[in-house]
Amino acid sequence: MNNNPEVFWKADSHEIVEDSPRIALTFDDGPHSVFTEQLLDGLREKGVVATFFLLGCNIDGNEKIVSRMQKDGHLIGNHTDSHVQLTLLNSAAASEEITSTNMKIFNITGHMPEYIRPPFGCWNENIATNIDMTAVLWDIDPLDWKGKDTERIVSYICHNAEDGDIILLHDVYKTSVEAALEVVDYFKERGYEFVTVDELLLE
């Protein structure tokens, strides 16, 4: 997790309880020029961190949003450049999809991403051998991209997510951003701590 000294709100926003249940919000396909900003505002207000898996093609023109993610203590990962299924590409093309996005993130943040969410969850040993990154999948998928229904998304997550789960959402839809912030309230009221995925995976 980023320990940037500029992030005062994060350190002071909540007291971490050692045995509290933990859960991770993750967002794919951004950054979005409008909805990601709204999400970052809401997460900051609630004192919560999340993980963002960025598309290289969406980083262009949204560099300030990526910089803000880092400053606010969120974890930034790779979601390829163009949301292609990596297992359908040859090794060179798959590597290019990943490394080009890594470099875009590095040029903004000064840190090379260590985590990748392969589009469609498609990952294999051949890619893993060529790319020294940790693939991150998910436990809870409300299919927020399909229905774009805030109430349904919130209901699905709140009825199915539990301690240690990774929740998949997309910060390119208004309904998903609204749902994510409602989910934060629901689980915080029940004593959950929101963490970035590396904190769950390194336990």
Side-chain angles (χ1 to χ4, degrees):
M1 182 182 294
N2 191 329
N3 292 316
N4 193 310
E6 296 179 66
V7 188
F8 299 112
W9 66 269
K10 178 177 172 292
D12 299 336
S13 59
H14 64 281
E15 181 181 349
I16 296 176
V17 179
E18 205 53 46
D19 295 326
S20 61
R22 311 169 98 199
I23 204 162
L25 282 175
T26 66
F27 298 92
D28 290 6
D29 293 0
H32 187 279
S33 59
V34 175
F35 302 135
T36 303
E37 285 272 36
Q38 292 176 355
L39 176 61
L40 291 172
D41 287 343
L43 295 176
R44 173 180 284 190
E45 180 182 345
K46 296 174 186 298
V48 163
V49 290
T51 301
F52 291 85
F53 292 102
L54 307 184
L55 286 176
C57 62
N58 285 340
I59 291 174
D60 301 328
N62 290 313
E63 291 86 355
K64 288 184 179 179
I65 297 176
V66 178
S67 181
R68 180 184 173 185
M69 287 176 184
Q70 181 193 31
K71 289 177 180 178
D72 281 3
H74 303 294
L75 182 65
I76 300 173
N78 188 321
H79 197 43
T80 73
D81 185 64
S82 61
H83 205 278
V84 65
Q85 183 173 326
L86 293 169
T87 53
L88 297 180
L89 304 180
N90 62 40
S91 296
S95 294
E96 176 61 23
E97 278 281 334
I98 297 168
T99 56
S100 63
T101 298
N102 276 349
M103 287 309 303
K104 288 182 181 182
I105 294 171
F106 175 80
N107 289 336
I108 298 168
T109 67
H111 297 282
M112 194 66 73
E114 298 179 31
Y115 299 91
I116 181 169
R117 171 161 287 156
F120 315 105
C122 295
W123 189 253
N124 60 32
E125 187 175 340
N126 183 51
I127 301 171
T129 300
N130 291 308
I131 299 294
D132 185 22
M133 299 181 75
T134 300
V136 178
L137 301 182
W138 56 85
D139 301 296
I140 302 295
D141 180 5
L143 301 178
D144 59 319
W145 56 271
K146 195 172 185 179
K148 299 185 182 68
D149 180 328
T150 300
E151 185 177 345
R152 186 194 64 80
I153 297 167
V154 172
S155 177
Y156 182 89
I157 295 172
C158 292
H159 281 90
N160 291 282
E162 56 188 26
D163 185 19
D165 279 350
I166 297 173
I167 299 169
L168 168 62
L169 289 166
H170 299 79
D171 53 318
V172 294
Y173 307 115
K174 183 175 187 289
T175 48
S176 298
V177 169
E178 292 172 343
L181 297 177
E182 289 188 32
V183 165
V184 167
D185 290 339
Y186 177 88
F187 282 100
K188 286 192 77 173
E189 287 174 1
R190 286 154 180 78
Y192 276 74
E193 178 194 354
F194 283 86
V195 298
T196 49
V197 293
D198 55 331
E199 293 187 82
L200 291 182
L201 297 176
L202 295 175
E203 283 185 340

